[in-house]
């Protein structure tokens, strides 16, 4: 694909063709800026990568709106596109070269589908899929091999269920969702009541709801509650190996990184970011736009827009100050020992 074709398809107003029409290389693929061979398109985001303009062998790059970087690229014979969000534009460029695997429409003969299942048009159901009574499948749903869907579940249009995921009873999944391999949606929450004779199992009669555009990573679990619902609002993205407990309410446009764990009843606002291995205690509430950095342990409510770190989680600014002191603890300990020794000799 010619560079000029990419410019046209991405509809980018700022590019090198404006002043260098002859610089129109053939682009055969995409690559990271530090590994990009000739014939590829790459991108630069952030100041620490700007030096790569003078090192990369890519034939074209996506740059931030920086005239100096654009001039450097032209001097090296590299075509460029400029955008305030280079990474986002690069993501759009990937879609020009790569389309995810999508099997042909049809139902494999080994699939077991209850007669009461409502099936939309243009769906794919792979080998060894089991779909139980009362399930509703929207149009263009794609169900890969070995998926099990329990009774009275609803799957929205164009949703993709990857191989070996399990959808438990009464779960509602919206349109354009993606559930990756090994994920379990709507399984029983961890509900046991202590008694003198041991644990009494509380049946989990609630349901789990995933709104439109939700994505759930491999081997993640989202539990249903004893009563009511666990709900993940639209366009929230959940990484691999995430545990969301019974009765949690997650807002829209959130991102939960790998190994995040939410105890039961947690409420998360909109546009919240939880980095890897964040743990949130039972019933805690996290406000809109809050960020928890990696391995934070959240035991109490977090204000909207706050950035928290550490265990237990505190303001990120306080955490940075405490971290700086932590590295000096051996030195401080020796100092206090000297003071103690001095006082004891008086």
């Amino acid at each position: 694909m010619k560079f000029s074709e990419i410019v046209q398809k991405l509809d980018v107003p700022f590019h090198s063709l404006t002043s260098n029409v002859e610089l129109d290389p053939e682009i055969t693929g995409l690559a990271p800026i530090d590994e990009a061979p000739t014939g590829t398109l790459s991108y630069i985001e952030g100041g620490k990568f700007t030096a790569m303009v003078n090192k990369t062998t890519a034939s074209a790059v996506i740059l931030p709106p920086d005239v100096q970087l654009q001039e450097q690229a032209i001097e090296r014979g590299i075509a460029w596109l400029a955008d305030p969000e280079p990474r986002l534009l690069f993501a759009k460029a990937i879609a020009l070269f790569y389309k995810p695997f999508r099997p042909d429409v049809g139902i494999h003969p080994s699939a077991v589908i209850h007669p009461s299942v409502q099936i939309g048009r243009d769906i794919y159901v792979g080998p060894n899929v089991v779909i139980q009574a009362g399930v509703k499948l929207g149009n263009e749903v794609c169900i890969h091999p070995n998926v099990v869907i329990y009774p009275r579940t609803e799957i929205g249009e164009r949703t993709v269920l990857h191989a070996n995921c399990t959808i438990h009873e009464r779960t509602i999944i919206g349109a354009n969702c993606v559930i990756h391999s090994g994920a379990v949606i709507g399984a029983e929450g961890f509900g046991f009541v202590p008694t003198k004779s041991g644990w009494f199992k509380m049946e989990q009669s609630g349901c789990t709801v995933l709104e439109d555009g939700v994505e759930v990573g491999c081997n993640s679990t989202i539990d249903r509650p004893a009563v009511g619902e666990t709900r993940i609002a639209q366009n929230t993205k959940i990484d691999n190996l995430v545990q969301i407990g019974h009765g949690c309410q997650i807002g829209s446009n959130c991102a939960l990184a790998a190994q995040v764990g939410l105890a039961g009843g947690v409420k998360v606002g909109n546009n919240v970011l939880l980095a890897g291995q964040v743990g949130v205690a039972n019933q805690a509430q996290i406000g809109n736009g809050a960020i928890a950095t990696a391995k934070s342990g959240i035991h109490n409510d977090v204000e909207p827009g706050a950035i928290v770190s550490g265990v237990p989680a505190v303001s990120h600014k306080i955490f940075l100050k405490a971290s700086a002191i932590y590295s000096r603890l051996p030195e401080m300990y020796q100092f206090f020992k000297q003071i103690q020794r001095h006082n004891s000799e008086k």
Side-chain angles (χ1 to χ4, degrees):
M1 186 184 302
K2 284 288 189 180
F3 175 72
S4 54
E5 293 180 67
I6 296 174
V7 170
Q8 184 178 13
K9 290 181 178 180
L10 295 179
D11 193 24
V12 182
F14 305 107
H15 50 81
S16 57
L17 291 172
T18 304
S19 56
N20 298 81
V21 180
E22 74 286 351
L23 187 57
D24 189 14
E26 185 74 25
I27 304 299
T28 58
L30 303 102
I33 189 68
D34 56 345
E35 301 174 8
T38 301
T40 59
L41 170 68
S42 190
Y43 79 103
I44 287 174
E45 183 178 53
K48 68 178 182 178
F49 293 108
T50 56
M52 292 303 301
V53 172
N54 291 323
K55 299 177 182 178
T56 185
T57 54
S59 295
V61 291
I62 300 172
L63 301 172
D66 185 312
V67 174
Q68 184 176 355
L69 288 178
Q70 295 164 12
E71 291 175 351
Q72 290 175 12
I74 292 298
E75 288 174 4
R76 298 198 60 231
I78 300 172
W80 57 264
L81 304 91
D83 192 88
E85 299 181 274
R87 187 164 178 253
L88 176 59
L89 189 61
F90 187 71
K92 294 178 180 178
I94 290 176
L96 301 179
F97 290 85
Y98 169 76
K99 299 298 180 186
F101 167 68
R102 173 91 185 192
D104 294 333
V105 170
I107 298 175
H108 195 274
S110 65
V112 179
I113 302 176
H114 192 275
S116 65
V117 173
Q118 298 180 31
I119 299 176
R121 58 175 173 79
D122 298 331
I123 75 164
Y124 168 76
V125 179
N128 303 314
V129 168
V130 176
I131 306 178
Q132 299 183 5
V135 171
K136 297 179 182 179
L137 303 178
N139 299 329
E140 300 179 49
V141 165
C142 179
I143 305 175
H144 287 277
N146 301 320
V147 168
V148 177
I149 303 177
Y150 281 62
R152 296 166 56 196
T153 292
E154 297 182 18
I155 311 293
E157 295 184 346
R158 295 175 300 280
T159 284
V160 178
L161 306 180
H162 284 283
N164 301 303
C165 71
T166 304
I167 314 299
H168 282 259
E169 60 261 36
R170 302 184 312 282
T171 295
I172 299 173
I173 298 177
N176 301 307
C177 294
V178 179
I179 312 299
H180 284 280
S181 297
V184 180
I185 311 299
E188 293 182 344
F190 192 63
F192 298 91
V193 180
T195 70
K196 293 180 179 179
S197 59
W199 297 99
F200 181 85
K201 183 178 178 63
M202 179 181 288
E203 296 296 344
Q204 305 293 291
S205 68
C207 67
T208 298
V209 179
L210 275 56
E211 297 182 6
D212 296 349
V214 170
E215 298 201 17
V216 180
C218 296
N219 297 317
S220 289
T221 56
I222 304 175
D223 294 345
R224 70 178 188 266
V227 292
E229 63 180 29
T230 301
R231 179 175 288 267
I232 314 297
Q234 62 182 357
N235 204 40
T236 281
K237 311 303 181 185
I238 298 168
D239 199 359
N240 303 331
L241 300 167
V242 171
Q243 157 66 16
I244 297 178
H246 53 86
C248 287
Q249 306 290 313
I250 312 297
S252 61
N253 297 306
C254 296
L256 281 62
Q259 298 184 24
V260 163
L262 307 185
V266 169
K267 292 184 178 179
V268 177
N270 302 323
N271 304 300
V272 170
L273 302 179
L274 302 182
Q277 295 188 338
V278 166
V280 185
N282 189 53
Q283 304 293 329
Q285 298 188 26
I286 301 175
N288 294 337
I291 298 173
T293 65
K295 295 191 175 184
S296 297
I298 298 174
H299 299 271
N300 300 304
D301 294 350
V302 176
E303 294 293 324
I307 303 176
V308 297
S309 301
V311 182
V314 295
S315 165
H316 186 61
K317 291 182 179 179
I318 294 175
F319 174 80
L320 291 176
K321 292 178 181 179
S323 297
I325 294 172
Y326 183 81
S327 64
R328 296 176 55 198
L329 284 179
E331 173 189 341
M332 295 169 65
Y333 174 69
Q334 293 299 324
F335 176 72
F336 285 124
K337 280 186 66 177
Q338 291 175 8
I339 293 176
Q340 187 179 39
R341 189 181 305 113
H342 177 74
N343 290 337
S344 64
E345 291 174 354
K346 285 186 178 180

